[in-house]
Structures are given as C-alpha cells and as structure tokens.
Amino acid sequence: AQSVTQLGSHVSVSEGALVLLRCNYSSSVPPYLFWYVQYPNKGLQLLLKYTSAATLVKGINGFEAEFKKSETSFHLTKPSAHMSDAAEYFCAVREGGYQKVTFGTGTKLQVIP
Amino acid sequence: GAGVSQSPSNKVTEKGKDVELRCDPISGHTALYWYRQRLGQGLEFLIYFQGNSAPDKSGLPSDRFSAERTGESVSTLTIQRTQQEDSAVYLCASSPARGRDQPQHFGDGTRLSIL
C-alpha cells in the first residue's frame, strides 16, 4: 500500500532563506510523486511531479525536488523564500496502474519578513 | 472557464438536513475525484470515477455519503442527514486520462458548515 509522510506540520523561514519541506513515501512499486501548493480558500495547484525521467525535478515558482530511492524521499526545496511562498504544501504518491492518489497531511510554510 | 468548477463555494445548513455539492470537471477529463479536507488536516479520499467504470467508493465514510457522475461530465456529492463532523471543505479534482503521471486539477472547494 502506498503512503506519504510529511515531517513538520509547520515550517517557518526568513525571507530569502532556504526552504526545505520533507516528504517520505512508501510504495510497493516505483512511484509517481507530486507536490501541490494550496493558498487560503483555494484548491490545490501542482508545483511539480516525478515521473522517473529525471531524479531532480524543477517546478513552478522556483521550487524543485529530488527523488532519492535509497532514502524513499522526495523533499521540496527553494533556494530563497519569498513572502508569496507562504501557503500549505502537500506531497502525494500514486502507484500501480491505478489512479488513486494518497496525500500527506500537509506542511504550512510561514515566511517571516 | 478552463478550470474545475465547484458550487456552491460556501454552504451553511442545519444538522440533519441533506446537502448536494456539485463539481464540473475540465472538459475531456475522464477521471474525477472527491476529497474531504477538515480544518487543519490533509486530504481524505472519498470517491473516484473513471469514465464508465464502476466508481471506487472505498473512501466514503458512511452510507450517508453518496456520489454520482453522468458520463464524463458533472458530478454531485450528496450528504444525507448531515452531522456536525461533516463540516469541512469538499474538494473535487479531475485528470485527463489513465496514466500515473497525470496530475490532478483541483477546484476551489465547497466549504460546508453544519450548525
């Protein structure tokens, strides 16, 4: 069965500092992995996805994530936080030929000016 | 519009009443999902439709919850005899086709409050 664990329900960084949001997954087959962002009162928006083509994936808004099979991780990073990055971030995994997606519990990112 | 549309955006109702939530997916998207997001929590899978296949209802929390979809178009999620614990944001998402690499496109949700 597939599952996702996001470490840290809340993360605070200073504006301009590195953003690191952690995601570990469990999957019985090679997974497809996604990061989504949710702004207040909005639905989720895709940031990036891992589809086995490359282990380092670049997404929108300057975010990127690296797939590490040995660590079963897919952490999200951004070199320099911007105030507009304050939002909630969700990691998600999909396995098999099935379309069901399992989401993590989310990490709220606060950016301090 | 090009995105997933959900209505109403907000719904306040009394305990015990029935509610119906609507989702219009992106045209051509064959897969449609419903999720529940309680305050401060992640997404809880409710139900999944794929084309004309039987839906995956494994996430529906009780028999008070049901959903329908007509072909590859509109879906409605119905909650009967609402309870206060049903208060949440209900999110709908669609995706274009089979394939594990297809991301989901989300609507802005319906915020349901049970008094």
Side-chain angles (χ1 to χ4, degrees):
Chain A
Q2 60 190 28
S3 66
V4 170
T5 301
Q6 290 185 243
L7 294 177
S9 59
H10 291 80
V11 170
S12 293
V13 300
S14 297
E15 189 175 16
L18 171 71
V19 175
L20 170 61
L21 304 182
R22 299 178 185 275
C23 172
N24 288 87
Y25 70 90
S26 172
S27 174
S28 57
V29 299
Y32 280 30
L33 295 160
F34 306 83
W35 274 100
Y36 289 86
V37 61
Q38 185 179 32
Y39 297 100
N41 299 315
K42 293 293 185 181
L44 279 67
Q45 176 186 359
L46 180 71
L47 273 179
L48 50 80
K49 63 181 182 181
Y50 167 73
T51 60
S52 77
T55 56
L56 183 61
V57 181
K58 294 187 183 298
I60 63 171
N61 302 340
F63 284 93
E64 62 183 37
E66 185 173 9
F67 173 72
K68 292 187 176 180
K69 183 178 179 180
S70 61
E71 299 177 8
T72 61
S73 69
F74 190 56
H75 302 329
L76 182 70
T77 61
K78 181 173 180 178
S80 176
H82 191 272
M83 294 300 294
S84 62
D85 295 327
E88 189 158 18
Y89 293 80
F90 291 91
C91 183
V93 62
R94 172 188 282 157
E95 68 175 22
Y98 191 48
Q99 290 261 48
K100 185 174 179 178
V101 177
T102 300
F103 286 84
T105 51
T107 297
K108 285 190 177 176
L109 176 65
Q110 179 185 22
V111 182
I112 303 167
Chain B
V4 176
S5 177
Q6 291 188 245
S7 61
S9 55
N10 288 280
K11 177 71 176 180
V12 180
T13 192
E14 294 179 348
K15 176 182 173 181
K17 300 286 189 182
D18 297 351
V19 296
E20 189 173 279
L21 313 180
R22 176 187 170 103
C23 173
D24 281 279
I26 293 173
S27 178
H29 281 195
T30 58
L32 186 147
Y33 308 75
W34 282 99
Y35 295 91
R36 179 168 68 180
Q37 186 176 28
R38 288 190 166 125
L39 186 64
Q41 298 186 21
L43 273 68
E44 177 185 0
F45 168 78
L46 296 177
I47 188 169
Y48 156 65
F49 296 90
Q50 172 62 55
N52 294 318
S53 301
D56 177 353
K57 303 179 181 180
S58 61
L60 295 179
S62 77
D63 59 7
R64 296 187 295 106
F65 287 72
S66 62
E68 294 183 348
R69 186 183 187 194
T70 306
E72 296 181 356
S73 61
V74 172
S75 175
T76 56
L77 176 69
T78 301
I79 308 173
Q80 296 178 309
R81 305 181 302 281
T82 52
Q83 304 295 314
Q84 287 189 331
E85 64 262 28
D86 299 333
S87 296
V89 175
Y90 290 82
L91 290 167
C92 176
S94 69
S95 62
R98 293 186 183 276
R100 295 184 293 158
D101 65 334
Q102 296 297 325
Q104 295 170 305
H105 300 256
F106 284 81
D108 287 341
T110 293
R111 185 174 303 274
L112 177 64
S113 299
I114 309 300
L115 302 178

